[in-house]
Amino acid sequence: MARIIVVGNEKGGSGKSTTCMHVATALARLGQKVGALDLDLRQKSFGRYIENRRAYLAQAGLNLPTPDYRDLPEVDPTAQGENLQDQRLTRVIEAMDKEMDYIVIDCPGSHTRLSQVAHTLADTLITPLNDSFIDFDLLARVDPVTGRIKGPSIYSEMVWGARQMRAQAGLLPIDWIVVRNRLGAQAMHNKKKVGAALEELSQRIGFRVQNGFSERVIFRELFPRGLTLLDLKDTGVDQLNLSNIAARQELRDLMSGLRLPSLQIGF
């Protein structure tokens, strides 16, 4: 069976699509068969990222490992029984499960039925988070005076519900990783406070904390061509750029931190 990696965060601008593309492409470069789904049916940033990649590689005459992106299939709108959106997701997952080693799913930056169902399917859940208390609110409510954690957020409760459903179905628990994106280069006071709050919350609601990607111009430059940090050497980009080298190391650390079974990080 394919291992399902869901990238979810109900706030936009946290780097979900960038994370999806780099994780999926890294897996493909490691020789894995990788399926890709984008459940944000309006924006489809992850889907467009892969479409950009296919177009650029065809134009440049390159053959680089690429995730197999698929749209949700259409279903009979008059069919009775299961929710139509559930049917669409179930059908594509069943088809990919027979062919893929991994399926990477990008969820929209809002609560939808598709996103909720996808979370129940996740073997690994990655929640990218901008490193600030504005985004920390996605995970927990904080007392504005004392700074103490008052309780889990609606999103955290949704993940808890997904975990309960998996337990009832006899499935392994979700490995939940909160990824700190856009970390500042300096150890600022707010950065330390966010880090301490995440560590405390991780013990209470059960997730692991992992550093992600810093804010870098390179990520904005890669999207139009559908490229990732791992493609720079193959496309003639100067590998001696210190920012690019540091970004590649961040990706290595992220992939190692996911602790995916039977996977040796070799890039």
Side-chain angles (χ1 to χ4, degrees), residues 43 76 86 115 129 150 173 184 209:
Q43 297 291 335
D76 183 0
D86 292 6
S115 180
L129 198 74
K150 297 170 63 177
V209 181

Side-chain angles (χ1 to χ4, degrees), residues 223-235:
F223 177 82
R225 294 175 292 167
L227 299 178
T228 70
L229 296 167
L230 300 178
D231 303 313
L232 299 180
K233 182 178 180 180
D234 297 308
T235 54

Side-chain angles (χ1 to χ4, degrees), residues 183-199:
L183 282 163
Q186 299 178 350
M188 296 174 289
H189 180 62
N190 188 69
K191 176 181 174 182
K192 290 182 178 179
K193 289 180 66 176
V194 172
L198 282 172
E199 289 296 340

Side-chain angles (χ1 to χ4, degrees), residues 67-78:
D68 182 355
Y69 173 75
R70 302 184 191 180
D71 285 317
L72 298 185
E74 295 301 325
V75 295
D76 183 0
T78 64

Side-chain angles (χ1 to χ4, degrees), residues 30-211:
L30 291 170
Q32 304 298 304
K33 296 179 181 178
V34 185
L37 297 174
D38 193 338
L39 303 187
D40 188 339
L41 302 184
R42 288 176 60 84
Q43 297 291 335
K44 288 190 176 181
S45 297
F46 184 31
R48 287 191 294 111
Y49 206 145
I50 297 178
E51 289 173 1
N52 291 348
R53 181 180 184 84
R54 289 173 176 166
Y56 174 78
L57 295 182
Q59 184 181 33
L62 295 172
N63 183 23
L64 300 181
T66 300
D68 182 355
Y69 173 75
R70 302 184 191 180
D71 285 317
L72 298 185
E74 295 301 325
V75 295
D76 183 0
T78 64
Q80 301 296 315
E82 188 180 18
N83 179 284
L84 293 181
Q85 296 289 44
D86 292 6
Q87 288 186 47
R88 298 177 72 192
L89 183 57
T90 299
R91 190 171 297 180
V92 73
I93 291 290
E94 287 178 347
M96 283 187 165
D97 192 46
K98 302 172 184 177
E99 307 171 29
M100 305 298 172
D101 300 308
Y102 289 89
I103 303 172
V104 179
I105 303 177
D106 192 7
C107 292
S110 60
H111 179 77
T112 66
R113 171 69 183 182
L114 280 172
S115 180
Q116 184 175 4
V117 174
H119 279 68
T120 67
L121 300 175
D123 299 300
T124 298
L125 172 61
I126 303 173
T127 300
L129 198 74
N130 289 332
D131 206 53
S132 73
F133 277 107
I134 295 175
D135 282 57
F136 184 86
D137 185 67
L138 172 82
L139 300 174
R141 295 175 286 110
V142 178
D143 188 292
V145 178
T146 65
R148 294 179 179 175
I149 297 170
K150 297 170 63 177
S153 68
I154 295 175
Y155 178 76
S156 294
E157 290 176 347
M158 190 259 284
V159 176
W160 175 254
R163 283 174 156 169
Q164 289 181 312
M165 290 184 66
R166 286 179 64 87
Q168 292 169 3
L171 300 174
L172 292 173
I174 299 170
D175 184 18
W176 186 13
I177 304 106
V178 172
V179 174
R180 300 174 70 185
N181 277 342
R182 296 189 172 92
L183 282 163
Q186 299 178 350
M188 296 174 289
H189 180 62
N190 188 69
K191 176 181 174 182
K192 290 182 178 179
K193 289 180 66 176
V194 172
L198 282 172
E199 289 296 340
E200 177 188 348
L201 186 62
S202 70
Q203 301 300 316
R204 293 178 57 175
I205 63 176
F207 58 79
R208 297 190 287 115
V209 181
Q210 173 74 31
N211 288 347

